[in-house]
Amino acid sequence: MIYRKAVKSAVLSMVSLILLLSLLITSNKANADGVVVDKVYHPYVLPNEREFEWRLLSHQNDNGNSLGQRLAYGQSLTDNIMVEAYIVGERDGDGDFGLSAYEIETRWMITEQGEYWADWGMLFEVEKEHKLDIWEVTTGILFEKEFGRTSLALNAFLIYESGSDIKNEFETEFRLQYRYRWLPQVQPAIEIYTGEDYTGIGPAFMGIHRFDGQKQLKWEAGFITGLNGDSKDHILRVAIEYEF
Amino acid sequence: MISHYSMPFIRFVVAALTLMSFLTIAKRPEFQIELKNHLFFPSEIEIPENTKVKLIIYNRDQTPEEFDSFDLNREKVIFPEKKSVIFIGPLPQGRYEFFGEFNPNSAKGAILVTPQVPPQVSLHDIDNREFNEIGSTIAFQQNNLTESGVVYVD
């Protein structure tokens, strides 16, 4: 048993090392063809968990406003694996809002919360653009560490974009969230996003409201400011999850 | 292709990571709680401050329960007639409340983090015990647990 845990931990460390090396190797290949700000993932999965999720992303810069929304249904398949399916909608250049992509995402909780120095998980994601031959495959490491009443969550993603409507390339993204667990309903945080020639930072707030049993509502909102030189570059992100 | 000279380095890295992994799962104090009729027994346990501990929760009920604590930042489902393990700490002194999400009015308890070092009881005394009957559980608690429900690993 102890040997198995040690091997799991060693494998995890090696995976992290490989991913970090990959990030270093590919860090110069990223092109600016997407939005990095989304959501900072946590490496935890609960069995019997089902959820509906809605996310909104409003990006205001010198070129105007772009809007993206996601609707998702997720369900844990085992004690430590959760699958979530998304449909993504975006407002196009004509101002019409419509379906733009589909996505399937798997989160794997590798370590028990609190068992080791930090908690680890992985994320696998496949996204297909609706009317274009563009595929995006993402692999990521999810990390979380408690410091008293605060929690530091880090996400490091390696993304491969391919298809006839896009130049095949690797991209990397890094997300950070440092959260103060003040009250269940209100937990302030600071978030940092980097990737695709973009760096953004800003405050975020999140909370949870419990109903009966496993039913609970989680909310998140963040206001991220880009640090890349545009005179105006703000992103408002909102996420609401209903777990049942 | 891995060069001839890099193999010793890779072996060293793997060995070091494995060793570190063993170090991280060093012996920790263990504490046990039972859930019976949607009540936690004991409902309060003391653990030492600044120490990571392993909390084992036995669910004797026929229904699932979800251990939940914002204070401890932990959520864990405990299936009927199964046990679950929760790792807690290291924590500063204080009172950390928890409850069962499915029965929040009855399934309530608290972890008291105290500076005292709890008395030690050998794990060998409890290794092969079964907890199938409430009578044996009470006897077990009387014989082996302190009032705070502490079982200490050597």
Side-chain angles (χ1 to χ4, degrees), chain B:
Chain B
M1 184 176 168
I2 299 171
S3 76
H4 176 73
Y5 297 103
S6 62
M7 279 308 292
F9 173 72
I10 291 172
R11 283 192 192 124
F12 171 77
V13 169
V14 171
L17 291 173
T18 307
L19 181 63
M20 285 167 62
S21 305
F22 275 113
L23 291 175
T24 59
I25 53 174
K27 291 173 182 172
R28 294 179 185 131
E30 286 188 8
F31 297 81
Q32 300 186 3
I33 293 181
E34 256 201 348
L35 185 68
K36 183 80 179 171
N37 298 324
H38 311 304
L39 295 167
F40 286 113
F41 296 103
S43 61
E44 292 190 354
I45 60 171
E46 288 184 20
I47 68 171
E49 67 177 330
N50 301 323
T51 306
K52 182 171 285 194
V53 303
K54 184 178 180 180
L55 181 64
I56 304 170
I57 305 175
Y58 293 85
N59 184 0
R60 305 291 174 213
D61 289 330
Q62 305 292 316
T63 53
E65 186 54 275
E66 186 170 325
F67 178 96
D68 197 314
S69 172
F70 180 74
D71 293 346
L72 295 165
N73 192 31
R74 293 289 182 274
E75 264 186 297
K76 185 86 178 182
V77 173
I78 317 159
F79 291 105
E81 300 183 314
K82 301 281 183 191
K83 70 173 182 180
S84 272
V85 174
I86 298 172
F87 295 91
I88 299 172
L91 292 168
Q93 286 181 50
R95 179 184 173 86
Y96 299 81
E97 297 191 344
F98 60 82
F99 66 98
E101 264 192 13
F102 297 154
N103 300 280
N105 295 324
S106 57
K108 291 189 283 193
I111 306 283
L112 307 175
V113 182
T114 61
Q116 300 94 345
V117 178
Q120 295 196 357
V121 176
S122 171
L123 186 62
H124 302 301
D125 295 340
I126 62 164
D127 265 353
N128 298 314
R129 284 184 184 271
E130 294 294 333
F131 295 86
N132 292 333
E133 296 175 14
I134 185 67
S136 64
T137 303
I138 292 169
F140 164 74
Q141 289 175 337
Q142 288 172 342
N143 291 334
N144 296 285
L145 297 180
T146 66
E147 285 181 1
S148 61
V150 174
V151 177
Y152 231 75
V153 181
D154 289 333

Side-chain angles (χ1 to χ4, degrees), chain A residues 49 51 207-209 216-220 239-243, chain B residues 75:
Chain A
E49 191 177 334
E51 67 176 39
I208 184 169
H209 181 78
Q216 54 190 24
L217 192 74
K218 290 180 177 173
W219 67 274
E220 293 186 20
I240 293 177
E241 278 179 40
Y242 178 65
E243 294 181 4
Chain B
E75 264 186 297

Side-chain angles (χ1 to χ4, degrees), chain A residues 224-241:
Chain A
I224 309 301
T225 300
L227 304 175
N228 294 71
D230 288 354
S231 58
K232 184 190 284 186
D233 190 357
H234 305 299
I235 293 178
L236 171 70
R237 74 167 195 88
V238 177
I240 293 177
E241 278 179 40

